Amino acid sequence: MFCLVVFSMALKVLQVHNIANVPSAISRGLNRIGVPSELLEYRDPYEFGGAEYSLELEKKNVFQQGAARLKTFLWATRNFDVIHMHSAALLPLYLDAPLARVIPSAKAKLVYSHWGADLRGKRVPFFSTLNCSKRFVAPDLYEFAPGVEALPVCIDLEYWKPEKAAGNRKKGGVVVMHAPTNRAFKNTEAVLRAVESLKRDGLEFDFRLVEGVSLAELREELRSCDILLDQFNSWYATLACEAMALQKPVLATLRPDILRRFAPDCPIVNVRPDKIAGAVRELVEDAGLRKRKGREGLAFVRKRHDCVVVARRLKKVYEEITA
């Protein structure tokens, strides 16, 4: 099948730092709607699609790292119209913002997105305020940056194909999965307590604790599970979106104010950490409920978290700030 994509010659975008694979998905979405976008990673490119550019900082000493970052900053500000930085900056302390204002050859507009620990419990980095054409925050960070527009995470539905979810299910009992990248933040302790309680009560199910795997391996684990236990703090993560794309019901703790403000139609089973066991039991015992939640999750992700949907929104922003 032949597909023609007409690229906009007036706009070229660089995404910086592939946190949770969201910038990679954004870049793919932009390219699909005709906006040339490339990805720069600090370390070796992630497995998922890789990155067009990598500084490979882990292979350099501190002086070489500084030189590489400065050289890349000067190159990027000359060769891109928009530099969209994700939970990071090209230069330490966000010094790229004030420097870009005084360097005559710098043409790029700077956009900052804050996705997690870079802003949680903190203030917006001071130097970034000196030259910021647009700023976004994840919905669960809105209180740390009042008035800043919230941007949802996005995933590539071509990679997380719902059609491929069917038929990959392994035979056996119901599989409940938890895949923490940070046990403390994800509240893995509460998950393990719930699992132990259910096992003591005699509920039959398989539990998988998945850690330290590649994205391709994670996708296969998600395809073969029945229920995902995401994170039990205040909001859901990219992993929840990936699971919903594969029509898996998801459990998480969603703070009421964030839910009302940003996603009142979210189909994730909202449960307090001390109530995980009861919610898991209900889903394990009710296959019909699992299927319904799976369908609702896919519809929600298609509407809110598809990288093409988010890319269209960003395209308008990029065009406005470069006009």
Side-chain angles (χ1 to χ4, degrees):
M1 181 178 179
F2 179 73
C3 180
L4 176 63
V5 177
V6 179
F7 285 93
S8 170
M9 299 304 295
L11 196 62
K12 188 177 180 183
V13 184
L14 180 67
Q15 309 291 333
V16 178
H17 184 37
N18 194 25
I19 181 170
N21 289 307
V22 173
S24 174
I26 288 174
S27 196
R28 287 169 176 240
L30 287 167
N31 279 294
R32 285 178 193 153
I33 63 172
V35 178
S37 177
E38 295 178 308
L39 176 64
L40 169 71
E41 186 52 275
Y42 293 122
R43 301 182 182 277
D44 282 339
Y46 287 1
E47 175 214 18
F48 180 44
E52 285 78 12
Y53 310 102
S54 176
L55 297 181
E56 297 186 331
L57 294 181
E58 75 280 4
K59 299 178 182 179
K60 299 176 172 65
N61 62 41
V62 64
F63 301 105
Q64 292 171 329
Q65 288 180 11
R69 293 179 73 164
L70 180 58
K71 181 180 179 181
T72 301
F73 163 74
L74 295 172
W75 162 79
T77 55
R78 290 194 304 265
N79 289 280
F80 292 88
D81 301 292
V82 176
I83 301 175
H84 191 159
M85 289 169 274
H86 301 267
S87 291
L90 282 171
L91 297 179
L93 303 176
Y94 290 79
L95 288 172
D96 38 15
L99 278 180
R101 296 190 66 174
V102 299
I103 297 176
S105 61
K107 69 169 185 174
K109 300 295 183 181
L110 305 185
V111 176
Y112 295 99
S113 284
H114 303 283
W115 295 109
D118 57 307
L119 186 61
R120 186 173 289 109
K122 307 172 186 176
R123 294 182 178 181
V124 169
F126 170 73
F127 284 117
S128 74
T129 65
L130 302 179
N131 182 17
C132 174
S133 296
K134 182 68 177 181
R135 190 183 306 276
F136 295 102
V137 294
D140 58 319
L141 300 178
Y142 82 94
E143 63 190 301
F144 304 114
V148 174
E149 184 176 347
L151 186 71
V153 298
C154 66
I155 63 172
D156 183 359
L157 287 177
E158 289 298 310
Y159 186 82
W160 300 95
K161 273 188 179 295
E163 294 79 11
K164 290 186 177 180
N168 282 278
R169 176 74 174 86
K170 296 178 181 178
K171 293 182 179 180
V174 174
V175 177
V176 179
M177 174 177 156
H178 179 57
T181 51
N182 181 319
R183 286 195 177 199
F185 183 73
K186 304 287 185 179
N187 205 348
T188 298
E189 184 178 344
V191 170
L192 297 179
R193 282 199 304 267
V195 170
E196 290 171 4
S197 173
L198 291 168
K199 291 290 187 181
R200 284 197 305 269
D201 291 344
L203 184 66
E204 293 186 2
F205 67 98
D206 296 325
F207 175 67
R208 293 183 192 163
L209 183 63
V210 178
E211 297 176 289
V213 299
S214 69
L215 194 71
E217 292 169 326
L218 177 64
R219 181 172 60 173
E220 291 309 307
E221 291 286 355
L222 278 174
R223 283 176 174 168
S224 63
C225 83
D226 297 284
I227 301 166
L228 175 73
L229 307 183
D230 185 31
Q231 57 188 34
F232 299 89
N233 41 52
S234 62
W235 200 234
Y236 60 94
T238 309
L239 178 65
C241 299
E242 294 161 350
M244 286 189 284
L246 296 174
Q247 301 184 59
K248 310 297 180 178
V250 177
L251 281 71
T253 299
L254 309 177
R255 216 171 75 191
D257 60 312
I258 307 174
L259 190 63
R260 287 193 302 268
R261 190 181 186 113
F262 297 108
D265 58 338
C266 179
I268 290 174
V269 178
N270 186 10
V271 58
R272 294 194 334 234
D274 61 336
K275 300 295 183 181
I276 295 172
V280 170
R281 175 182 289 277
E282 184 178 10
L283 282 167
V284 167
E285 294 178 339
D286 192 338
L289 178 60
R290 294 199 302 272
K291 289 181 180 179
R292 178 167 63 82
K293 282 294 180 182
R295 290 193 299 269
E296 291 173 355
L298 174 57
F300 179 74
V301 167
R302 282 175 169 164
K303 179 178 71 173
R304 180 176 175 82
H305 295 288
D306 181 358
C307 66
V308 174
V309 172
V310 173
R312 290 194 182 105
R313 178 174 165 185
L314 288 174
K315 179 176 182 285
K316 293 179 181 178
V317 171
Y318 296 159
E319 289 174 340
E320 288 173 0
I321 64 176
T322 57

